[in-house]
Amino acid sequence: MAKRVCIIGGGPSGLVAAKTLTHDAPPGAFHVTLFESSPRIGGLWPVSTVDDGLVNPDMRTNQSRHTVSFSDLAWESSAPMFPKAWMVGQYLQRYVAVYGGGWDVRLGRRVVSSEMLGDGRWKILVGDGMPAEEVLFDYLVVASGFFGKERMPSGLGGCGFPVAHSSKVRDIKTLLSDEMGKAKGSGRRIVVVGGQMSGVETATAVAMQISSAANTPGGEGIEDAGSYVVEHLVQKPVWVMPLHFPRNPFVEVDGEKVCHQILICEERALRKKQEKNRAPEFLPVDLVTYNIGWRPEGPVANSSGHITAEAAVITHAFMESYIGSDQSDFGPDLAVVGDNRSEPPRLSFSDQYLEFIRHKKIEVRTGRFREASGDSVSLEDKSGHLVSISGVAAIACATGFDAAPSLEFLPQDVLRTLDFKPTDESFPLALNLHATLSTKIPTLGFVGFYRSPYWGVMEMQARLLAKLWSGDEKAKQALQEDTTMETMMQLRGDPRRAQFPMGDYAYLMESFAGILDIKLQETPDFSGRSGIITPYRYTYATRSPIQHIEVNKSMAEYNAIFAASSKQAKFVPRAVFRGLQGIWTLNRTITSRIPTFPSGKLVGTASLLPRNPTDKPSPASSSTTPGQEGEKEEEAKADMEYLYFEEGEFKTDFGATMTAKRSYVYRYFEERDCIDLWFAKQDYMSADYFFHRVKFIIPEEEAGPGRPWRAASSHLCIEDMYDVSYAFSFSGATLENWSAEYTVKGPQKDYTIRNVYTRPI
């Protein structure tokens, strides 16, 4: 007779638990009922662009869709590499459409309370919207997530400006402007409290909205947008990783490839024979960092949890090598130097945060928030002194969530048995087998109940529960011999606890795989235990026909991405475009070959200012794509856009000087992986007509240490031909400098313009 299983929560963890218990367990083993308090599935993930849930629908994931996925449902090939939140919600809806026929889903039904009976079964009280009902189950799965309630700092009662938790921040103008678009107050400083991942994301999102409003005709509803500054309060430096990482930031030196293996080498080894690859290949960050081939032979050990000083030094060295600097050029509050190198690292993801700091649109302050009063915020700095920030317009609190409300339906005796500690933000419960269940209550399982759950790990937790509750002897033995709970409890209160104590993806996946007898699937490029960890590389050999099709789709794209990265410069335009943001020192040399056109030099600045794309997508009709004569493509809307503005003093060879300024619009299209340039109108903001497409040149052989990425283009402007050549030089993921050389020939023109861009000192 099928065992009855209750699953609480209809987000990713609840859905993968329901699917696994009905599709991957022995036929007829379980009858599953899933309760979701909201009227839709998806949990915190919105399912449409207007869904106002816990997550902003327009927020992009900070891991690629190869990590934000389950093993047996491939993303559609047209999806962005880093999907928006509403796209993740629609992926989950598709997951239910493919696999949801085998379980009952009760939407709009909240589990009010539960009671564990003497025989281990569960009596569940269900309410909301209908008469309450009691239902009896053999097993209970908690999949209600780790984000129970927003955590807000104390000391906000006396402020005279809007305050919001970061999860509620959508359109910043609703905080800053009235219905007429006028500023609500005189303050021009937006304070973001919280220095970890969500703090970086929130500060970046706010700065992006301000930048877009300041650099778009009409101002996007924010009065005097250029006068606003984001004040970001942090407690220690955090590494900021872009969404695309170099595969090979170093090249061979004297025939020996410099190897940078996280956690298995010493910092001094990282600093020997460093020859930076100025033209590295790029991949999504998770398809670089989740490399199981970097780990020593033998069982994969946990590199998270307690971080020793030695391990911290190695990780910091790795981050500096791949990011390309120690971040000291962005100010002392972000520099990971000195004593910070032996402290547990703090990591975050953002493509724009660092350059907003260089451009002084984000100012970082190290200290602890104390209180808000009137139009001011007080913080305690590193020396224990109170510092005041005046002229505050709003506060966004990126201060995390309290997990305890997600467990309100569990009885107090069960919580006591599980050593419930609501103040511990990482381990509120004492659980075995990587936070999956407890030996003391084997009929109660948890899926996704820990900070930053990987989708692959959630799926592994669900598989383990299915094995245990089906009577699998190996799984039962693993539970009895498990020591992970003791390790977890030792980390409570540990000052050297990792930012994400259950953050070692390779360790978690390999640990579960060993219990479940799942072997890492090989690829054409990676054999044995090597390559990048993804959910679809860990599947049962007995998968169904539909699972087989979906796994093969994902694996085919996985293989294609690695091939395109190494052979077609895939993601290089994206990495270059991200690196262009911000302020550059511009040195221009004009060499004329006709007497009527002056030669000379210009020294000035060039700024590439992020804004929301201003192009409008055309109807689905074919037209000649800019820069690709004779080829037909459907026109698309740009995914990213900069307003390029330069200004400087031009001095001719015969001594005349003049002030010169110019604007362009730079656009990036993800589907085509290309950068297009447009001339700007006389307002220096609006795009006018197409200039050229930047076409990257695939090197015929591996680049030497000093050779940059090169690109070229040609453009006929009436009777004048513009031939353009570019060079982009990287240090790790950082674009250090670049150049653009124009050779112009026509009936009355014959000159060369060479532009060299370097970061201001």
Side-chain angles (χ1 to χ4, degrees), residues 346-460:
R346 294 291 183 264
L347 310 178
S348 64
F349 299 91
S350 176
D351 277 344
Q352 300 171 316
Y353 179 80
L354 292 177
E355 291 307 326
F356 277 134
I357 293 172
R358 194 197 305 270
H359 204 179
K360 301 190 184 305
K361 296 303 177 183
I362 296 177
E363 294 185 1
V364 180
R365 294 175 182 254
T366 301
R368 293 179 179 273
F369 172 84
R370 286 302 177 219
E371 66 174 354
S373 178
D375 72 341
S376 299
V377 165
S378 296
L379 67 142
E380 182 182 333
D381 67 13
K382 290 181 287 187
S383 302
H385 300 123
L386 286 180
V387 178
S388 179
I389 302 173
S390 59
V392 175
I395 290 183
C397 297
T399 42
F401 291 83
D402 181 2
S406 297
L407 304 172
E408 288 179 341
F409 51 81
L410 288 178
Q412 289 300 311
D413 60 333
V414 168
L415 292 174
R416 284 193 296 271
T417 301
L418 299 179
D419 195 13
F420 180 46
K421 188 176 182 181
T423 57
D424 193 300
E425 62 180 21
S426 293
F427 299 120
L429 297 177
L431 299 172
N432 294 96
L433 289 175
H434 312 302
T436 306
L437 78 169
S438 169
T439 55
K440 299 176 182 178
I441 310 178
T443 59
L444 174 63
F446 293 81
V447 176
F449 190 73
Y450 65 96
R451 288 185 68 202
S452 188
Y454 297 105
W455 288 41
V457 173
M458 288 190 282
E459 190 168 19
M460 288 293 204

Side-chain angles (χ1 to χ4, degrees), residues 457-476:
V457 173
M458 288 190 282
E459 190 168 19
M460 288 293 204
Q461 289 178 317
R463 288 167 173 165
L464 179 59
L465 291 177
K467 286 281 191 182
L468 284 167
W469 294 344
S470 299
D472 183 84
E473 291 299 326
K474 186 173 183 179
K476 290 194 292 185

